[in-house]
Amino acid sequence: MSLKNHNWYMNIALEEAEKAFKKGEVPIGCVIVDQDDNIVSQTHNLKESVKDTTAHAEVLAIKEASEVNKDWRLLGHTAYITLEPCPMCLFALLQARVDKVIFGAYDSKGGSVSLGYNFHLDERFNHSFKVIGGVEHFKCSQILSNFFKQRRKGYKVTSKP
């Protein structure tokens, strides 16, 4: 699949991130596409809304795609996520048997790949998949930065003497 297609799907994931932003959720969106390039699920974070620590965009998208496909195995599917998946989500994607994970912004504080939790490459598991990071990185980073700036309004950093 071309970078143009990756950008197109990532922009749909960004639309989901916008929905999360408007709800006061950390703006992360996820789109899962099947082997025929059909979108089978598109979701966003709902962790705060539903008071569930597992209500990350990726987990919700996996559940939705599994319902649509009537199978927990998402073989041949690609997940597009606006932020690098955390360890829980990367492992859920591994368990769901996706073929590829494409993410936008890197997350040096919580992202699996950045932290070295490369479950998708561990040969001890019975599945592996490709990961591509940095697709629409600026847009994906910008929405997160804007969200946290807005959340911190009124907070002023004082300089040390």
Side-chain angles (χ1 to χ4, degrees):
M1 185 176 289
S2 73
L3 181 58
K4 183 178 177 183
N5 288 343
H6 290 328
N7 289 343
W8 191 77
Y9 290 118
M10 188 61 72
N11 278 290
I12 295 170
L14 277 160
E15 290 173 9
E16 287 295 321
E18 279 289 336
K19 292 176 187 176
F21 190 113
K22 290 175 182 172
K23 293 177 181 177
E25 298 278 353
V26 176
I28 301 168
C30 180
V31 172
I32 296 182
V33 178
D34 69 15
Q35 59 274 13
D36 297 320
D37 297 332
N38 298 308
I39 294 173
V40 293
S41 68
Q42 54 189 88
T43 61
H44 54 275
N45 271 2
L46 289 175
K47 188 174 166 180
E48 300 297 330
S49 301
V50 299
K51 310 293 187 245
D52 180 351
T53 58
T54 66
H56 291 204
E58 300 94 324
V59 172
L60 298 172
I62 290 167
K63 287 179 182 180
E64 187 174 286
S66 295
E67 288 174 17
V68 168
N69 290 343
K70 296 180 178 40
D71 191 352
W72 61 268
R73 292 172 196 84
L74 299 178
L75 296 167
H77 289 62
T78 301
Y80 291 87
I81 311 151
T82 57
L83 183 65
E84 177 182 353
C86 71
M88 174 185 72
C89 291
L90 191 72
F91 202 80
L93 290 158
L94 178 73
Q95 288 296 308
R97 311 288 196 267
V98 298
D99 278 10
K100 219 177 291 166
V101 170
I102 315 286
F103 68 85
Y106 285 86
D107 183 0
S108 62
K109 294 180 182 176
S112 276
V113 176
S114 292
L115 294 173
Y117 297 112
N118 294 307
F119 303 123
H120 64 290
L121 299 176
D122 192 326
E123 293 177 1
R124 295 171 293 180
F125 296 117
N126 62 352
H127 183 71
S128 64
F129 55 81
K130 293 180 183 179
V131 172
I132 299 171
V135 174
E136 295 287 11
H137 174 77
F138 180 77
K139 288 180 184 178
C140 294
S141 296
Q142 194 65 44
I143 190 171
L144 287 158
S145 294
N146 290 343
F147 176 79
F148 288 111
K149 281 178 190 171
Q150 183 178 0
R151 297 281 293 227
R152 294 182 188 113
K153 271 187 183 169
Y155 175 76
K156 298 205 189 296
V157 177
T158 56
S159 59
K160 294 181 181 181

